């Protein structure tokens, strides 16, 4: 899917935990001009289950560090797992902001959802235009839409630009502008109240 998108001339941004990836996958990604490559590394067990950190994972992290991929960054919630902390260059490691509730999708015992934004709002990251393409061709509003509450359409059946002309997207924009109805953005940490009304 990534190679196909690249061949069509789209910019590529990779965000991954590396789970399921191998050295051959890495070589294929190296052949592409990536705009962003962010690896969410396993932490010391505070926030993530680190059972997947083994020899293969450590080897893949080493390969990535040695691959000289421009703009690669490693992100950790908390401290990186001790078995990989010494592999990742300090300048390439970013500490993530506090955990997000992913628009209220995460168990509230882990991360309390934010208080719902009432009225018009703005996405500080303009995520309504940073959609997620799923393997079945569905396009969801953004990476916070884990429950697929805002599916814009399917690229197997329509062009990408057509998604923004459909009633589904127009309804989202109306709700961002203050119209009534369900909007995942109201619970998202990236939403700011729009006080210009």
């Amino acid at each position: 899917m990534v190679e196909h998108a690249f061949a069509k001339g789209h910019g590529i941004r990779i965000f991954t935990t590396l789970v399921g990836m191998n050295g051959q996958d890495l070589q294929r990604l190296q052949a592409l001009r990536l705009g962003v490559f962010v690896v969410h590394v396993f932490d010391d067990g505070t926030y993530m289950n680190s059972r997947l950190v083994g020899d293969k994972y450590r080897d893949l992290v080493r390969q990535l560090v040695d691959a000289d991929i421009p703009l690669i960054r490693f992100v950790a919630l908390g401290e990186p797992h001790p078995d990989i902390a010494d592999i990742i260059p300090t300048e390439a490691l970013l500490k993530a902001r506090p955990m997000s509730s992913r628009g209220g999708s995460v168990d509230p015992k882990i991360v309390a959802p934010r208080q719902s934004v009432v009225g018009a709002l703005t996405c500080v990251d303009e995520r309504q235009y940073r959609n997620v393409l799923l393997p079945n061709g569905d396009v969801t509003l953004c990476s916070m839409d884990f429950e697929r509450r805002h599916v814009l359409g399917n690229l197997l059946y329509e062009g990408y630009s057509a998604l923004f002309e459909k009633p589904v997207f127009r309804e989202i924009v109306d709700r961002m502008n203050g119209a009534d109805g369900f909007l995942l953005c109201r619970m998202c940490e990236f939403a700011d109240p729009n006080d210009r009304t």
Side-chain angles (χ1 to χ4, degrees):
M1 188 168 56
V2 172
E3 289 169 328
H4 177 74
F6 177 77
K8 293 289 187 180
H10 298 289
I12 304 297
R13 297 160 40 121
I14 302 288
F15 296 85
T16 180
T17 60
L18 304 178
V19 173
M21 191 173 167
N22 60 39
Q24 184 180 16
D25 296 328
L26 173 60
Q27 291 172 358
R28 291 169 70 182
L29 288 174
Q30 280 182 272
L32 309 177
R33 288 185 304 278
L34 301 172
V36 174
F37 195 117
V38 176
V39 179
H40 187 129
V41 295
F42 287 92
D43 69 4
D44 59 6
T46 303
Y47 298 106
M48 300 175 73
N49 183 340
S50 57
R51 65 180 168 75
L52 296 173
V53 177
D55 292 340
K56 288 182 182 180
Y57 183 81
R58 283 190 299 278
D59 289 344
L60 192 57
V61 171
R62 276 192 194 94
Q63 288 176 45
L64 275 169
V65 169
D66 294 340
D68 194 31
I69 297 174
L71 303 177
I72 192 166
R73 293 292 175 262
F74 297 86
V75 176
L77 289 173
E79 296 301 318
H81 192 282
D83 290 352
I84 57 171
D86 61 339
I87 300 172
I88 301 169
T90 305
E91 66 276 7
L93 179 65
L94 305 171
K95 297 293 177 92
R97 67 177 106 197
M99 288 183 64
S100 164
S101 73
R102 295 290 185 174
S105 297
V106 175
D107 183 337
K109 294 175 191 160
I110 298 171
V111 181
R114 76 171 294 171
Q115 184 172 350
S116 183
V117 176
V118 177
L121 60 84
T122 301
C123 179
V124 296
D125 277 354
E126 294 187 334
R127 288 171 179 262
Q128 69 270 29
Y129 302 107
R130 289 174 46 194
N131 317 119
V132 174
L133 173 63
L134 301 175
N136 70 348
D138 281 352
V139 176
T140 60
L141 181 62
C142 73
S143 61
M144 299 297 148
D145 194 2
F146 278 72
E147 296 176 311
R148 300 169 30 103
R149 301 289 298 269
H150 297 302
V151 176
L152 304 180
N154 188 296
L155 293 187
L156 296 177
Y157 307 108
E158 56 202 322
Y160 181 68
S161 60
L163 301 178
F164 302 102
E165 298 167 8
K166 293 176 60 175
V168 171
F169 187 75
R170 286 196 306 261
E171 188 174 85
I172 291 168
V173 171
D174 288 345
R175 291 175 181 178
M176 289 180 78
N177 288 326
D180 289 335
F182 174 79
L183 181 63
L184 178 67
C185 309
R186 297 201 182 286
M187 299 299 292
C188 181
E189 287 83 358
F190 290 96
D192 277 346
N194 187 345
D195 298 328
R196 292 180 295 173
T197 55

